[in-house]
Amino acid sequence: MSINIHKRLHHRAPYLMVDKVLEHSSEHIVAAKTPALEDFYIQGHFPGAHVVPGAMMQEMTTQTAGLLIAEHHSPVADYDSEATKGYALGVLRSVHNSKFKKFARPGEKLEIHVRLIEKNEQLFRFKGSITVGEDKIMSNEFTLINISDTHILDSLL
């Protein structure tokens, strides 16, 4: 069963960090991203020796976790990022731990693995990792929260 990324996530190009969902369940999701040299976040990041910034790899795991929440743990049935009003799903609350072991380069297929390790009402704690082939290049733990989208809009005013 596939996940419609645009239906489940609010993110859009150029800030969409997930190309495809490879597998998912209510506790685990695997997605893929192949960064391109033309991506905005690579253009100025070490010109001549381009690598994917660690912050973008963190965002890849966060967006992947957001897909898991929207697909399996949404407070509304059949959550649609463009039509459902009243909810912001998977807002980053905290990063507990991040380790970067190797570089990710443009053109490499990154597999993003995320596992739900704890759920407490609308708080979700995850463990994530990114692999290139057999090599784990990054791992992290983080918490996302579901909140009212009016809370986000009100803070902008």
Side-chain angles (χ1 to χ4, degrees):
M1 171 165 72
S2 180
I3 294 178
N4 181 329
I5 294 168
H6 288 100
K7 182 176 181 180
R8 299 298 190 220
L9 282 184
H10 286 280
H11 303 82
R12 297 293 182 263
Y15 202 69
L16 183 60
M17 299 292 144
V18 179
D19 293 336
K20 183 177 182 181
V21 174
L22 304 175
E23 62 184 71
H24 65 95
S25 70
S26 64
E27 306 282 322
H28 181 251
I29 185 168
V30 179
K33 174 70 176 172
T34 303
L37 183 59
E38 299 78 29
D39 289 340
F40 78 93
Y41 53 90
I42 293 179
Q43 285 300 298
H45 200 250
F46 304 130
H50 296 291
V51 296
V52 178
M56 295 297 101
M57 289 193 282
Q58 172 69 49
E59 184 65 18
M60 290 173 194
T61 60
T62 303
Q63 288 186 21
T64 300
L67 286 166
L68 185 140
I69 291 172
E71 187 72 16
H72 296 285
H73 301 281
S74 173
V76 294
D78 197 27
Y79 180 82
D80 184 326
S81 68
E82 293 181 352
T84 304
K85 301 300 177 203
Y87 296 97
L89 302 185
V91 176
L92 184 63
R93 178 164 178 170
S94 58
V95 176
H96 310 288
N97 188 9
S98 287
K99 294 181 182 174
F100 302 92
K101 301 173 182 182
K102 293 186 177 182
F103 292 112
R105 302 196 184 281
E108 291 181 325
K109 180 182 177 186
L110 309 182
E111 276 198 9
I112 308 151
H113 301 259
V114 175
R115 179 165 302 282
L116 177 62
I117 57 174
E118 182 180 0
K119 179 182 183 219
N120 183 358
E121 296 183 11
Q122 296 303 311
L123 280 172
F124 302 83
R125 187 163 177 153
F126 294 96
K127 281 189 177 183
S129 66
I130 295 180
T131 59
V132 175
E134 298 295 316
D135 293 331
K136 184 186 288 188
I137 64 169
M138 179 264 199
S139 62
N140 62 0
E141 284 189 35
F142 55 96
T143 299
L144 303 181
I145 187 170
N146 292 344
I147 61 174
S148 164
D149 61 4
T150 57
H151 179 74
I152 294 172
L153 296 173
D154 289 344
S155 68
L156 297 174
L157 301 176

